[in-house]
Amino acid sequence: MAHLPLRAAVLCGAAFIALGSSPVLAQDSHPKSPAAADPQSSGTIADIVVTAQKRAESVQNTPLAVSAIGGAALAQRGATDLTSIASAVPGLNVSEQVGQARLTLRGIGVDNISTGAESSVAFNQDGVFFSRSAAALASFYDVERVEVLRGPQGTLYGRNATGGSVNIITNRPTFSTKAGTSLTYGNYDTINTEAYYSTGLTDTVAVRFAGQIQNHAGYGKNVLTDTDIDDKHSQAVRGQLLFEPNTRLTILLGADYYHQNDRSNTYHYFGAAGFTATGTPITPTGLLLGGVDPGPRNVASVRDPANNAQFWGARAVISFKLTDHLSLRSLSAYRSSHYLVNSDLNPIGVNLFPIDFGETSNEYSQEFQLNLDTSRNKLVVGAFYMHEDIDGFIQGPFNLRTLGGPSSFVQGFYSGGHLKTDAAAIFAQDSFSITHKLRLTLGGRYSWERKGVADQSDFDFADAYVPGAPVTVPVHVASKTFGSFTPKIGLDYNIAEKVMAYASYSKGFKAGTFNLGSASPALNPEKVNAYELGLKSTLLDGHLRANLSGFYYDYSDLQVGKVQGQLLVLENAAAAQIYGLESEFTLKPVRDLTIGLNASWLHGRFKRYVTADQARPGGDGHTLDENGVPAFNLAGNTLPQSPNYTIDLSAEYSVHLPNGSLTLRGESYWSDQVYFSAFNLQPMSQPAYNQQNAYLTYRLKSGLRLTGFVRNIGNKTIRASGQVASALLGSPILGFVKPPRTYGLTVAFDY
């Protein structure tokens, strides 16, 4: 604690003092969940059942740091994607960049959104692993709950879960008929609709259909064409078919489709970052050639941006009870992902470097699980296999005017190719009751992964630009195999009734990979040793819930993103150290009032990391990298997307009326400064900020619900992510911003 800034220390201390007085994160249960207590009738905090350990159990009995948000809470917030719930989970940072979801848990996540890149936070929907982070933004409708597992999940989840796992669980078909619909209208011409229908076809067959349409006008303008940008137009549909021919066999088939076509995901200009080798600031080339700064929400591009994405998939889940305590489960899935983004590396008024991003992925996965559930043992044994093919590219014609030549485009930059992945694993984990209060958890997973790449990279200054001209540069072919054993050992003990303490040690592993289109050697795997202590308690006869966790991580070969030439690439940082504290409190002092507080303090720093910065070729003046190039020693720098503290405070109060109830909810979120790169540049960051949201909901006993909302009440411009673009353009800072103030009304009806 000696190194804590005073402000962070005070805030963190305030969070823990709250244990004895009030505070916060309500983990609401979906009203349809059979395991959920009725908080309105009991006046206590509702419980929620999770499957974080691949078996159903109360979130308060799960000996790991997991946050669960039920469907009712998601509906209250009007959540339509992961960015809507980031503040509700300590240690979670979610942003969007070029159509990709940048998920970070406790300082670890995805720091590179180039084609073929993968996150260090696993994303799963209904048990299916989604390899492509872009698809993580397309799944929020008809959701039963969201589970966020913080910390390495190397045993049960394995692949790419060194930072944790985000699990989306959608509503299953029901044999009783249920249906509902909602319509949201708001500023920026927002019209969002959702609907679901579930019913039994026979005594053994049930179906469920759900869909969503989202539309809103642009949050900004292209000032050169007067066209809206950062708008949204998307459609999604999901269908599920449930067979229960007898009490032992269950078969669930599902399929989903998502399409988006709009002018979102374009780069915005944030300022200058370049310096000469002697330290003289560099003005971006676009401004020197007569361009203009359009402001953080607008762009100035000759070509309007475009975003097109399609994701679809299917799954088959077969569960069979071998005995009353032993069951077998098979999960087969196929995922297809395609996106194309047209953007501009110089969105400041001069047509110098338009750029396109494209990626197509086809993924097949298969998992088998054997579950033993007795009074003494909670055992899961399984095997996993995945095959994925990715074709991706980044391409942009280059204007010779940038280099002082005529205003003429050459073929310019191309980077792309094919990446193939085969991954397999076997795993087992058992929680054994030593006594009725003390349990021991032992687990292990062996992961094997092979990656093969055939890629191309070129910067063609000689040939005139011809749209669609084929790339003729040589293909670079390489492959590499990775493997690792990731164990887990944990103890949990019931100190008192509804008070559990736990401690664990685990390892995490993320396979090495190739930077698609760079023709460079494979990266080393990312590995972590993680230690965690935690406390989960329900006190005051169910009126106070207090969950605490502390952790320490030792990372080696952390995969960190940077700009190299015109390409976003990953490279291995030597080592990183992360430790922190998290708290989740919910207080229900009286029947109709719920107060929540969740807070995190994070110390995520590089222990050893030396790297060059093309925007500052002189380095720090006394450091050279392994190639003898002037570089920076980044030891002690904060990890990207890792604020030192976050605090989320909420309060909700309900008034009972003759025909229903009226509920007022307010939320306030504080975040410390967020750096977007390992270099910790002030212009490449979002300074400390706070944001408030408010909701007013009128519920009628008939099933009608009216919700008025205002988000980002202060209409603050908050940077979501950023990067330094090509040195050929004078190293401008480009990035993305979060939505402005939005408000509207949602009308919903369930029966």
Side-chain angles (χ1 to χ4, degrees):
M1 288 282 192
H3 302 291
L4 270 173
L6 177 60
R7 178 173 54 178
V10 171
L11 290 170
C12 192
F16 282 91
I17 291 172
L19 173 60
S21 56
S22 60
V24 337
L25 170 61
Q27 293 175 339
D28 301 293
S29 283
H30 193 287
K32 300 186 182 81
S33 172
D38 183 356
Q40 296 300 323
S41 62
S42 65
T44 59
I45 299 167
D47 196 7
I48 188 168
V49 171
V50 298
T51 52
Q53 298 192 108
K54 301 200 174 182
R55 64 173 185 269
E57 58 189 339
S58 165
V59 69
Q60 290 301 100
N61 295 331
T62 305
L64 53 84
V66 54
S67 299
I69 305 174
L74 295 173
Q76 175 75 22
R77 293 174 172 88
T80 57
D81 57 40
L82 283 176
T83 61
S84 307
I85 66 163
S87 62
V89 179
L92 176 62
N93 187 288
V94 181
S95 64
E96 187 174 350
Q97 185 171 353
V98 196
Q100 312 292 297
R102 295 186 65 175
L103 310 179
T104 302
L105 276 169
R106 295 175 171 175
I108 300 301
V110 59
D111 193 32
N112 178 22
I113 48 77
S114 62
T115 54
E118 296 181 294
S119 175
S120 297
V121 176
F123 181 86
N124 301 275
Q125 180 178 304
D126 294 322
V128 178
F129 174 72
F130 282 36
S131 171
R132 313 318 304 147
S133 65
L137 296 171
S139 308
F140 260 63
Y141 61 99
D142 198 32
V143 172
E144 179 185 336
R145 67 183 183 276
V146 179
E147 302 174 4
V148 181
L149 288 65
R150 307 189 296 278
Q153 307 298 320
T155 299
L156 292 180
Y157 292 87
R159 190 170 193 275
N160 294 0
T162 51
S165 180
V166 176
N167 301 339
I168 309 297
I169 294 89
T170 64
N171 287 304
R172 288 164 60 101
T174 56
F175 286 93
S176 58
T177 299
K178 297 179 182 294
T181 185
S182 70
L183 173 66
T184 298
Y185 179 77
N187 62 332
Y188 294 99
D189 296 328
T190 297
I191 300 179
N192 296 338
T193 62
E194 291 188 20
Y196 71 90
Y197 178 77
S198 181
T199 191
L201 300 179
T202 69
D203 292 340
T204 60
V205 180
V207 297
R208 189 181 189 99
F209 299 100
Q212 178 194 67
I213 298 174
Q214 296 187 78
N215 291 283
H216 68 71
Y219 295 144
K221 289 279 189 182
N222 182 351
V223 298
L224 296 189
T225 64
D226 199 36
T227 302
D228 275 9
I229 62 165
D230 290 336
D231 58 345
K232 187 163 189 177
H233 302 289
S234 69
Q235 308 83 39
V237 64
R238 181 188 304 121
Q240 299 181 78
L241 185 63
L242 176 66
F243 298 89
E244 291 185 348
N246 54 56
T247 58
R248 293 189 177 275
L249 177 63
T250 299
I251 301 173
L252 179 63
L253 306 177
D256 61 271
Y257 175 79
Y258 175 89
H259 177 254
Q260 183 176 353
N261 188 9
D262 48 40
R263 301 191 185 282
S264 60
N265 298 318
T266 188
Y267 283 120
H268 296 248
Y269 175 69
F270 288 165
F275 288 84
T276 66
T278 59
T280 303
I282 297 174
T283 300
T285 308
L287 296 181
L288 293 176
L289 294 176
V292 296
D293 181 352
R297 290 213 176 273
N298 301 322
V299 300
S301 298
V302 172
R303 179 183 69 162
D304 282 325
N307 173 69
N308 186 282
Q310 295 183 70
F311 313 120
W312 68 274
R315 76 185 195 279
V317 185
I318 303 174
S319 302
F320 185 73
K321 289 185 177 180
L322 301 172
T323 69
D324 289 342
H325 302 289
L326 188 65
S327 61
L328 180 65
R329 186 170 184 260
S330 168
L331 174 56
S332 308
Y334 173 80
R335 301 298 311 173
S336 175
S337 168
H338 170 78
Y339 74 84
L340 176 64
V341 175
N342 306 133
S343 189
D344 190 349
L345 287 185
N346 189 72
I348 48 179
V350 184
N351 193 17
L352 300 179
F353 208 158
I355 196 161
D356 300 332
F357 300 81
E359 182 183 274
T360 298
S361 165
N362 294 286
E363 171 194 344
Y364 169 78
S365 63
Q366 173 66 53
E367 182 165 328
F368 295 104
Q369 296 174 23
L370 185 67
N371 293 71
L372 176 66
D373 190 346
T374 69
S375 59
R376 297 293 298 273
N377 291 85
K378 311 294 182 185
L379 173 66
V380 180
V381 179
F384 172 82
Y385 174 76
M386 188 198 81
H387 174 84
E388 182 179 33
D389 286 289
I390 299 173
D391 290 290
F393 71 90
I394 302 175
Q395 184 174 18
F398 183 74
N399 193 335
L400 293 177
R401 187 182 176 194
T402 306
L403 303 178
S407 183
S408 175
F409 278 95
V410 292
Q411 280 293 109
F413 177 70
Y414 177 87
S415 171
H418 180 82
L419 181 67
K420 182 174 71 173
T421 300
D422 286 287
I426 54 173
F427 60 91
Q429 180 172 299
D430 186 28
S431 181
F432 175 74
S433 297
I434 300 173
T435 70
H436 72 285
K437 291 186 176 182
L438 178 65
R439 290 160 296 277
L440 170 67
T441 297
L442 293 174
R445 184 185 190 105
Y446 181 78
S447 301
W448 172 91
E449 194 155 326
R450 181 176 178 83
K451 288 181 178 284
V453 67
D455 60 0
Q456 298 171 289
S457 182
D458 187 32
F459 209 130
D460 184 352
F461 288 95
D463 297 317
Y465 173 57
V466 178
V471 178
T472 58
V473 297
V475 177
H476 170 258
V477 178
S479 64
K480 194 164 185 179
T481 300
F482 310 92
S484 181
F485 176 70
T486 49
K488 176 176 181 176
I489 181 170
L491 284 170
D492 60 277
Y493 181 73
N494 292 108
I495 300 173
E497 185 179 2
K498 297 185 179 181
V499 180
M500 178 185 70
Y502 65 89
S504 68
Y505 162 76
S506 62
K507 293 189 69 174
F509 161 78
K510 178 185 176 184
T513 189
F514 293 91
N515 288 304
L516 187 62
S518 70
S520 59
L523 278 78
N524 294 327
E526 181 179 285
K527 296 183 179 181
V528 58
N529 289 287
Y531 307 83
E532 184 161 330
L533 295 171
L535 179 72
K536 293 193 172 185
S537 60
T538 304
L539 309 171
L540 304 180
D541 294 326
H543 292 272
L544 173 64
R545 177 173 297 165
N547 295 344
L548 310 174
S549 60
F551 55 91
Y552 174 85
Y553 297 166
D554 185 14
Y555 265 89
S556 60
D557 285 322
L558 185 65
Q559 296 172 9
V560 183
K562 63 177 289 188
V563 176
Q564 181 175 293
Q566 285 58 245
L567 190 63
L568 291 162
V569 300
L570 288 171
E571 67 177 10
N572 288 116
Q577 183 185 70
I578 304 173
Y579 53 87
L581 302 170
E582 296 169 343
S583 60
E584 296 176 284
F585 298 108
T586 306
L587 176 68
K588 197 161 189 176
V590 295
R591 174 178 171 178
D592 299 314
L593 175 63
T594 302
I595 302 171
L597 170 69
N598 87 61
S600 69
W601 170 72
L602 180 67
H603 181 92
R605 303 292 188 268
F606 292 105
K607 288 200 300 184
R608 295 183 303 278
Y609 185 24
V610 173
T611 189
D613 181 3
Q614 66 179 22
R616 297 175 294 165
D620 58 19
H622 49 79
T623 301
L624 302 177
D625 67 10
E626 59 185 9
N627 299 315
V629 175
F632 291 85
N633 184 353
L634 303 185
N637 275 21
T638 300
L639 299 178
Q641 304 283 148
S642 305
N644 289 335
Y645 70 82
T646 61
I647 296 177
D648 181 56
L649 176 66
S650 66
E652 185 173 300
Y653 183 71
S654 295
V655 178
H656 294 274
L657 302 173
N659 293 317
S661 65
L662 188 67
T663 301
L664 175 64
R665 178 181 177 86
E667 301 171 348
S668 190
Y669 176 74
W670 292 267
S671 173
D672 195 16
Q673 184 172 28
V674 180
Y675 291 107
F676 300 136
S677 83
F679 295 106
N680 286 189
L681 300 174
Q682 293 297 322
M684 269 278 289
S685 71
Q686 168 57 49
Y689 70 95
N690 63 84
Q691 178 180 322
Q692 289 74 38
N693 307 318
Y695 307 86
L696 182 63
T697 300
Y698 179 42
R699 291 183 177 87
L700 281 75
K701 294 179 180 179
S702 62
L704 180 66
R705 184 180 77 250
L706 305 175
T707 299
F709 62 87
V710 184
R711 304 189 189 99
N712 189 4
I713 294 174
N715 197 28
K716 297 183 178 180
T717 300
I718 302 169
R719 297 181 179 185
S721 58
Q723 67 188 60
V724 178
S726 172
L728 291 172
L729 296 172
S731 301
I733 301 173
L734 306 180
F736 298 80
V737 291
K738 295 186 178 183
R741 177 172 52 229
T742 57
Y743 54 86
L745 175 68
T746 297
V747 181
F749 184 73
D750 296 274
Y751 68 92

